[in-house]
């Protein structure tokens, strides 16, 4: 029997609504949901391949437990017994920091990943927390923390209303957007142009996004902070600063002007390889546009000055009056955000409350750099214990983080490792226990993270499209059971974890004067919650307490889970609205434009004014039909132009004697790889490009299609020592490499001669 079911797509940040076709319990088709309040029918090739992603025969069906060195199929009970013994054993012997928690990107694409990891980390009391954020957007969290007092308040460009978009180090035509959730990002860029707006793209590659732009600047990698500082400097020098309505909420404008004195367009032009006149034009265009937004992503974050570049993006939005104004960059208000508190001073944002054991990296947002995971395992020190046990959830750092070979060996040396992952891959192959979550069609979905980053306020929830197959366990239950196993409560009912959160959250809410439930009885409130299970009850609670909530009776028209379920295509909550000063949590209660840690990092940027790398540097790239390290196993999404090749400019190819298609050896500080060259003028001179997430040639994995066409691991070229010091974010773009053609082997030459 054929039927349809709705499912929000989890395959990228755009969160499109899909209509799945289900035949006899199996998903056989996927198309865009035209009635979805946000995505309105848009779907990309990845979303269309949802059935193949969902039914990949290499997905694990049962838990695996290591016995006599070998992973064997086991029952859930055996698996969790082993997890409890492994994690408690490590905590009891070495203390909580000896247990590392490693969270990968898919956690922001599952409900389980939003609801349980904080409890695991809190319950363990470990400082050894490593996530994909420190190979991605940690600089943006740090700059938001410092500017606004809240690391999770990230201004989002108002794509649908802006007149001018300055887009830096992002390629939404391939990535579908990031820290800016916008189904059909490409269509929204075309609409911007159609309504007479302008698009400027800053990227060392002429990407598909750059080809859409009115102006493309092929900047030298790693120098965006200099470029942005010079744009800000020009606004001050040419009297173009206009703070607009946010003026009363800003602090430190004069100090900012002084701090940026040295970064004139002439001073940065050489380092950025962008001429001074063009930089002035960029500043004037930004100031002259009726509304404008500066937006920057991966290329601006995964570089040595990532935090400064992220900070300068919002500084430019503020100086041009575009922060918190329609058409500029605004703070979304998600339905599951906390109850808004009255505006006023907050606790501020602290960095470096503790440090990593080996290299003494400061924590940021409670995390240590993913780049330092290997050394935290393999390097003893006099004070403190190395990490001896690891929990990975949806993480493949052997491919995603610098120096996979070292991490590979470090993971192999652990006393205990458990991986929650649907695949046996480069990382999970080291686990003592692998716990496979069900495929996405069998999981519920709500975007806790991406709704706080969306270009329109809206809320959607989809229940599992098909029931759990026999023998499967929901990922929410898997993670709840890990929390229990790690905290000495192994064997308790997993709903106890949700009940505890509900008790604590409601207990706190009734004490808050600004809460709609102030003074009420938390037990009575808990009794009102609806939902089929713990996670649904928690969603109901968050919706009711949230900014649009019914407040447990305070506003009968407000949101509840029940109301959301009655709107299967979602509820539109309107365009982004100005919100300042309410979201600010700085100690001053203002936007602090020149925070101390930023000011202290500026001398390092000043030193970069003189840098002119003479050799080649490498940058990454993404492909529309790929996703980090884990979609290379789906035949429908591989092949064609989705290949692991080294892009290099024809002039560089000539100089090095490299021909198109020929294998080249690429060498970096952490190692070398051999990969086919693809000669193209889409990269600027002096820059080569290699995608990440490849290198599926390690033994002991079970991803057959990916292993047949493995590609190489670009992150092997890095040794993990290059970081943005404020955020601990890895430098993954603009690092030096050497490239040489692979010459015919000597014996062949000999043969040819004789
Ligand atoms: N050189 C270079 N390196 C990079 C980047 C770059 O641009 N250049 N980008 C970085 C960025 S931005 C990121 S976010 C990271 C991403 O890197 P990771 O954090 O490693 O994330 P993924 O590779 O997306 O997936 C990790 C694992 O999640 C598993 N998985 C898939 N679905 C689920 C699920 O529903 N539940 C669970 N539990 N697991 C699931 C997959 O099988 C895979 O093993 O890579 C980073 N690495
Ligand atoms: N198809 C697909 N979609 C994805 C993913 C995927 O792997 N595949 N991954 C998802 C994830 S985890 C994330 S975080 C997002 C990322 O989303 P985006 O940030 O849009 O990702 P990229 O396509 O890597 O774009 C980064 C661009 O920065 C450029 N760049 C490199 N160095 C510099 C520099 O120093 N300065 C400037 N100005 N530009 C530079 C690169 O050439 C590249 O075009 O994409 C998400 N969506
Ligand atoms: S754009 Fe992203 S969310 Fe939308 S269908 Fe494609 S992969 Fe899914
Ligand atoms: Mo990412």
């Amino acid at each position: 029997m054929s039927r349809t079911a709705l499912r929000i797509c989890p395959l990228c940040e755009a969160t499109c609504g899909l209509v799945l076709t289900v035949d006899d319990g199996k998903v056989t088709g996927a198309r865009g949901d035209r009635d979805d309040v946000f995505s309105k029918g848009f779907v990309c090739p990845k979303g269309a391949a949802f059935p193949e992603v969902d039914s990949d025969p290499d997905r694990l069906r049962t838990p695996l437990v290591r016995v006599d060195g070998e992973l064997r199929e086991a029952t859930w009970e055996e698996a969790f017994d082993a997890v409890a013994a492994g994690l408690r054993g490590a905590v009891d012997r070495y203390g909580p920091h000896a247990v590392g928690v490693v969270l990968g990107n898919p956690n922001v694409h599952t409900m389980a990943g939003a609801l349980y990891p904080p409890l695991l980390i809190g319950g363990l009391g470990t400082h050894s927390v490593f996530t994909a954020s420190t190979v991605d957007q940690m600089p943006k969290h740090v700059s938001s923390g410092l500017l606004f007092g809240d690391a999770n308040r990230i201004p989002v460009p108002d794509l649908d209303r802006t007149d001018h978009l300055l887009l830096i180090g992002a390629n939404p035509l391939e990535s579908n957007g990031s820290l800016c959730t916008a189904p059909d990002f490409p269509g929204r860029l075309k609409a911007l142009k159609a309504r007479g707006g302008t698009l400027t793209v800053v990227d060392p590659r002429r990407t598909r996004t750059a080809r859409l732009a009115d102006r493309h600047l092929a900047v030298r990698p790693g120098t965006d902070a200099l470029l942005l500082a010079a744009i800000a400097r020009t606004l001050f020098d040419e009297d173009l600063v206009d703070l607009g309505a946010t003026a009363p909420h800003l602090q430190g404008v004069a100090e900012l002007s002084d701090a940026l004195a040295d970064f004139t367009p002439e001073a940065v032009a050489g380092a950025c390889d962008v001429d001074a006149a063009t930089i002035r034009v960029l500043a004037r265009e930004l100031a002259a546009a009726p509304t404008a937004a500066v937006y920057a992503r991966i290329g601006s974050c995964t570089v040595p000055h990532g935090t400064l570049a992220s900070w300068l993006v919002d500084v430019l939005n503020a100086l041009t009056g575009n922060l918190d104004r329609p058409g500029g960059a605004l703070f979304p208000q998600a339905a599951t955000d906390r109850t808004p508190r009255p505006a006023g001073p907050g606790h501020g944002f602290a960095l470096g409350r503790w440090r990593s054991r080996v290299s003494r990296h400061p924590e940021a947002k409670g995390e240590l750099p993913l780049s330092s995971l290997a050394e935290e395992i393999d390097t003893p020190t006099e004070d403190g214990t190395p990490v001896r046990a690891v929990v990975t959830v949806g993480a493949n750092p052997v491919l995603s983080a610098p120096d996979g070979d070292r991490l590979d060996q470090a993971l192999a040396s652990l006393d205990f490792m458990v991986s929650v992952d649907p695949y046996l891959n480069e990382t999970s192959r080291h686990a003592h226990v692998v716990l496979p979550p069900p495929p996405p069609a069998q999981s519920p979905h709500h975007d806790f993270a991406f709704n706080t980053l969306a270009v329109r306020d809206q809320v959607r929830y989809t229940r599992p499209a098909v029931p759990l197959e026999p023998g499967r366990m929901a990922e929410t239950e898997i993670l709840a059971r890990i929390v229990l196993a790690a905290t000495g409560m192994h064997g308790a009912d997993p709903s106890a974890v949700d009940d505890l959160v509900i008790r604590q959250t409601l207990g706190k809410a009734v004490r808050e004067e600004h809460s709609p439930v102030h003074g009420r009885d938390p037990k009575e409130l808990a009794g009102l919650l609806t939902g089929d299970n713990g996670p649904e009850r928690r969603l109901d609670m968050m919706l009711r307490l949230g900014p649009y909530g019914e407040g447990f009776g305070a506003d009968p028209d407000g949101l509840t889970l029940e109301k959301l379920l009655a709107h299967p295509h979602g509820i539109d909550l309107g365009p982004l609205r100005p919100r300042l000063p309410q979201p600010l949590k700085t100690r001053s209660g203002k936007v602090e434009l020149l925070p101390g840690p930023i000011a202290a990092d500026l001398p390092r940027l000043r030193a970069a004014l003189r840098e002119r790398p003479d050799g080649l540097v490498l940058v990454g790239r993404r492909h529309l039909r790929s996703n980090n390290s884990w979609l290379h196993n789906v035949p429908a999404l591989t092949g064609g132009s989705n290949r692991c090749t080294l892009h290099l400019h024809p002039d560089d190819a000539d100089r090095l004697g490299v021909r198109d298609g020929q294998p080249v050896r690429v060498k970096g500080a952490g190692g070398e790889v051999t990969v086919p060259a693809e000669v193209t003028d889409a990269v600027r001179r002096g820059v080569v490009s290699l995608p990440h997430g490849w290198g599926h040639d390690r033994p002991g994995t079970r991803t057959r299609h990916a292993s047949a066409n493995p590609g190489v691991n670009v992150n092997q070229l890095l040794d993990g020592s290059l970081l943005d010091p404020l955020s601990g974010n890895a430098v993954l773009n603009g690092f030096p490499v050497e490239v040489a053609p692979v010459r015919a082997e000597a014996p062949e030459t000999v043969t040819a001669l004789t």
Side-chain angles (χ1 to χ4, degrees):
M1 217 194 64
S2 191
R3 63 179 174 95
T4 59
L6 301 177
R7 190 6 163 140
I8 302 163
C9 179
L11 299 177
C12 86
E13 299 183 33
T15 73
C16 302
L18 302 179
V19 182
L20 304 180
T21 310
V22 182
D23 287 298
D24 296 326
K26 199 174 169 237
V27 179
T28 53
R31 58 182 161 83
D33 175 12
R34 256 175 278 152
D35 299 319
D36 185 287
V37 293
F38 193 25
S39 63
K40 302 198 161 95
F42 181 77
V43 64
C44 85
K46 272 194 290 190
F50 186 100
E52 289 85 350
V53 173
D54 201 67
S55 64
D56 183 346
D58 281 343
R59 277 180 184 267
L60 301 172
R61 295 179 163 269
T62 61
L64 305 176
V65 174
R66 196 171 292 277
V67 182
D68 299 331
E70 230 175 89
L71 282 170
R72 299 202 189 136
E73 293 194 353
T75 64
W76 289 100
E77 203 185 332
E78 289 163 340
F80 283 108
D81 285 347
V83 173
L87 295 182
R88 286 317 298 173
V91 174
D92 292 344
R93 273 176 73 188
Y94 307 112
H97 307 311
V99 180
V101 176
V102 182
L103 305 171
N105 175 270
N107 285 289
V108 281
H109 296 279
T110 65
M111 285 181 73
L115 294 176
Y116 299 91
L119 304 170
L120 177 64
I121 293 162
L124 278 167
T126 177
H127 285 171
S128 303
V129 177
F130 309 84
T131 86
S133 293
T134 53
V135 285
D136 188 347
Q137 82 289 0
M138 190 56 92
K140 197 70 203 174
H141 287 306
V142 171
S143 78
S144 274
L146 295 170
L147 280 163
F148 311 123
D150 184 343
N152 287 319
R153 289 298 145 240
I154 293 176
V156 169
D158 194 0
L159 281 190
D160 297 339
R161 290 182 292 181
T162 196
D163 298 291
H164 178 73
L165 183 65
L166 174 56
L167 184 147
I168 298 157
N171 187 10
L173 265 76
E174 305 283 357
S175 69
N176 289 315
S178 179
L179 300 188
C180 175
T181 283
D184 194 13
F185 205 127
R188 291 173 203 257
L189 289 182
K190 285 170 197 155
L192 158 74
K193 296 193 65 180
R195 66 176 177 265
T198 47
L199 172 67
T200 298
V201 171
V202 180
D203 195 310
R205 301 187 306 118
R206 196 174 65 255
T207 60
R208 283 173 60 215
T209 308
R211 275 182 252 154
L212 209 64
D214 300 284
R215 185 196 302 277
H216 169 219
L217 294 180
V219 70
R220 180 176 282 135
T223 64
D224 298 272
L226 290 171
L227 178 71
L228 296 170
I231 297 176
R233 176 74 263 152
T234 306
L235 293 175
F236 283 115
D237 287 347
E238 301 192 2
D239 213 9
L240 296 171
V241 172
D242 177 2
L243 307 175
T246 47
H249 311 304
L250 303 179
Q251 187 196 68
V253 180
E255 293 84 346
L256 175 69
S257 171
D258 291 347
L260 296 176
D262 293 342
F263 301 99
T264 60
E266 285 71 20
V268 308
C272 300
D273 205 8
V274 177
D275 63 79
T278 304
I279 297 173
R280 290 212 163 79
V281 171
L282 292 181
R284 289 172 198 150
E285 284 177 353
L286 206 57
T291 63
V294 186
Y295 162 69
R297 229 13 305 274
I298 282 291
S300 73
C301 280
T302 54
V303 288
H305 303 283
T307 301
L308 291 186
S310 298
W311 162 71
L312 283 161
V313 165
D314 291 326
V315 160
L316 287 178
N317 284 324
L319 293 181
T320 52
N322 284 302
L323 182 66
D324 200 43
R325 111 166 141 188
L330 300 106
F331 300 95
Q333 177 78 275
T336 52
D337 278 349
R338 293 225 180 105
T339 318
R341 63 174 190 103
H347 294 303
F349 174 74
L351 270 173
R353 292 164 297 172
W354 55 86
R355 286 179 174 267
S356 71
R357 189 178 50 83
V358 181
S359 291
R360 313 298 300 160
H361 295 300
E363 63 76 36
K365 213 170 157 267
E367 300 182 20
L368 300 175
L370 188 59
S371 297
S372 68
L373 174 59
E375 69 179 22
E376 289 295 307
I377 298 172
D378 70 17
T379 309
T381 51
E382 278 177 9
D383 54 330
T385 330
V387 168
R388 293 307 313 153
V390 161
V391 183
T392 74
V393 185
N396 194 3
V398 169
L399 295 188
S400 310
D403 199 351
D405 286 350
R406 179 173 176 186
L407 186 57
D408 198 48
Q409 285 176 20
L411 294 176
S413 75
L414 290 169
D415 293 351
F416 182 73
M417 173 168 162
V418 51
S419 290
V420 182
D421 205 291
Y423 289 104
L424 194 59
N425 61 19
E426 297 75 16
T427 297
S428 60
R429 76 191 181 107
H430 291 297
H432 297 85
V433 178
V434 183
L435 303 169
Q442 296 172 36
S443 302
H445 197 73
H446 170 75
D447 283 294
F448 288 100
F450 298 126
N451 285 350
T452 70
L453 297 162
V455 298
R456 204 172 162 91
D457 290 327
Q458 38 69 45
V459 56
R460 293 164 295 155
Y461 172 61
T462 48
R463 279 184 161 161
V466 297
L468 279 180
E469 287 167 321
R472 289 276 189 195
M473 186 180 281
E475 185 161 10
T476 46
E477 183 175 339
I478 294 175
L479 295 195
R481 285 185 185 277
I482 294 180
V483 173
L484 293 171
T487 52
M489 289 166 63
H490 175 46
D493 186 331
S495 66
V497 176
D498 302 303
D499 291 341
L500 180 75
V501 174
I502 288 169
R503 241 192 344 267
Q504 285 177 346
T505 310
L506 292 174
K508 194 163 165 252
V510 297
R511 292 195 302 276
E512 287 174 340
E513 264 174 46
H514 64 271
S515 170
V517 296
H518 179 64
R520 291 179 64 179
D521 172 15
K523 270 211 198 90
E524 177 231 329
L525 301 177
L528 296 173
L529 293 175
T530 66
D532 281 356
N533 46 46
E536 282 200 349
R537 285 203 307 280
R538 286 174 67 184
L539 177 59
D540 190 29
M541 174 180 70
M542 292 165 83
L543 291 170
R544 287 178 194 237
L545 291 178
Y548 311 90
E550 62 79 82
F552 291 85
D555 173 7
D557 293 334
L559 275 178
T560 60
L561 176 65
E562 223 164 56
K563 183 163 175 186
L564 192 50
L565 287 168
H567 292 83
H569 307 282
I571 297 174
D572 182 43
L573 300 167
L576 303 185
R577 281 172 284 258
R579 291 183 56 203
L580 288 182
Q582 191 277 328
L584 302 176
K585 289 191 191 162
T586 49
R587 285 175 183 274
S588 61
K590 308 259 182 198
V591 177
E592 296 180 357
L593 283 176
L594 185 63
I598 295 276
D601 200 25
L602 281 172
R604 204 170 54 89
L605 188 63
R606 243 170 246 126
L609 286 169
R610 294 184 295 276
E611 283 166 21
R612 308 270 188 286
D614 45 10
L616 290 173
V617 296
L618 186 143
V619 301
R621 68 176 190 270
R622 282 174 161 78
H623 192 284
L624 182 58
R625 286 183 295 117
S626 191
N627 188 36
N628 300 324
S629 76
W630 73 278
L631 281 188
H632 298 142
N633 205 51
V634 179
L637 294 175
T638 50
S641 56
N642 185 11
R643 292 193 303 140
C644 185
T645 57
L646 186 84
H647 284 183
L648 83 168
H649 190 274
D651 293 353
D652 289 322
D654 272 354
R655 189 168 49 80
L656 297 164
V658 170
R659 285 189 315 276
D660 190 56
Q662 183 189 14
V664 286
R665 191 165 294 133
V666 190
K667 228 189 211 172
E672 61 176 61
V673 298
T674 299
V675 61
E678 197 173 331
V679 178
T680 164
D681 66 2
V683 280
R684 55 164 277 165
R685 285 179 198 84
V687 176
V688 295
S689 170
L690 194 57
H692 72 284
W694 295 87
H696 307 291
D697 52 358
R698 294 180 196 264
T701 62
R702 202 179 299 163
T703 50
R704 286 167 291 184
H705 183 70
S707 301
N709 188 5
V712 299
N713 178 11
V714 63
N715 288 326
Q716 199 49 55
L717 302 171
L718 290 159
D719 63 8
S721 65
L722 290 178
L723 294 174
D724 167 39
L726 276 179
S727 63
N729 208 84
V731 172
L732 304 170
N733 276 293
F735 59 88
V737 290
E738 286 168 29
V739 174
V742 176
R743 307 259 173 234
E745 296 295 326
E748 272 175 52
T749 321
V750 175
T751 322
L753 282 175
T754 51

